[in-house]
């Protein structure tokens, strides 16, 4: 499954998420950010690969960037929640 999300309040402007079925559960296969801190966001994408959306949300939801009320990891959590609602 492929899902695209437009971020708000971060340097990145969009997130593309691809999931796949693995051992009877949905896991993240790839995450790509548009804009933002390229190296950090590639690292985030690599770290969450193979995790379920719920696992990622539990780890990154609520993370803030400096004085902003959100961050790229937090936006990923929001994107995953939105993705799960849209099914």
């Amino acid at each position: 499954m492929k899902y695209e999300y437009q971020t708000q309040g971060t340097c990145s402007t969009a997130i593309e998420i691809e999931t796949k079925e693995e051992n009877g559960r949905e896991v993240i296969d790839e995450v790509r950010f548009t804009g933002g801190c390229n190296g950090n966001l590639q690292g985030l994408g690599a770290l969450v690969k193979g995790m379920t959306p719920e696992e990622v949300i539990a780890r990154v939801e609520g993370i803030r960037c400096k004085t902003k009320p959100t961050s790229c990891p937090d936006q990923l959590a929001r994107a995953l929640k939105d993705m799960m609602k849209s099914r």
Side-chain angles (χ1 to χ4, degrees), residues 14-15 19 23 27 32 35-37 52 69 71 74 80 83:
I15 305 171
T19 61
N23 298 322
V27 297
R32 288 180 300 279
C37 304
T52 66
S71 66
D74 183 60
L80 291 167
M83 178 188 80

Side-chain angles (χ1 to χ4, degrees), residues 1 3 19 26 53 79-87:
M1 178 180 168
Y3 183 77
T19 61
E26 181 181 29
L80 291 167
K81 283 182 161 185
D82 196 57
M83 178 188 80
M84 293 185 327
K85 278 187 212 174
S86 70
R87 294 184 205 147

Side-chain angles (χ1 to χ4, degrees), residues 14 25 28-29 31 39 53 56 58 63 72 85:
R25 62 189 192 137
I28 295 172
D29 190 40
V31 173
V56 175
I63 292 175
C72 291
K85 278 187 212 174

Side-chain angles (χ1 to χ4, degrees), residues 61-74:
E61 184 176 35
I63 292 175
R64 296 175 58 156
C65 184
K66 299 179 185 176
T67 60
K68 296 177 184 177
T70 189
S71 66
C72 291
D74 183 60

Side-chain angles (χ1 to χ4, degrees), residues 14-67:
I15 305 171
E16 291 180 30
I17 303 165
E18 289 187 41
T19 61
K20 66 180 182 179
E21 183 87 10
E22 189 174 276
N23 298 322
R25 62 189 192 137
E26 181 181 29
V27 297
I28 295 172
D29 190 40
E30 190 167 356
V31 173
R32 288 180 300 279
F33 287 83
T34 302
C37 304
N38 190 42
N40 288 333
L41 297 176
Q42 284 183 45
L44 177 59
L47 289 170
V48 301
K49 187 172 183 170
M51 295 174 68
T52 66
E54 294 85 359
E55 290 170 327
V56 175
I57 292 165
R59 291 183 182 214
V60 302
E61 184 176 35
I63 292 175
R64 296 175 58 156
C65 184
K66 299 179 185 176
T67 60

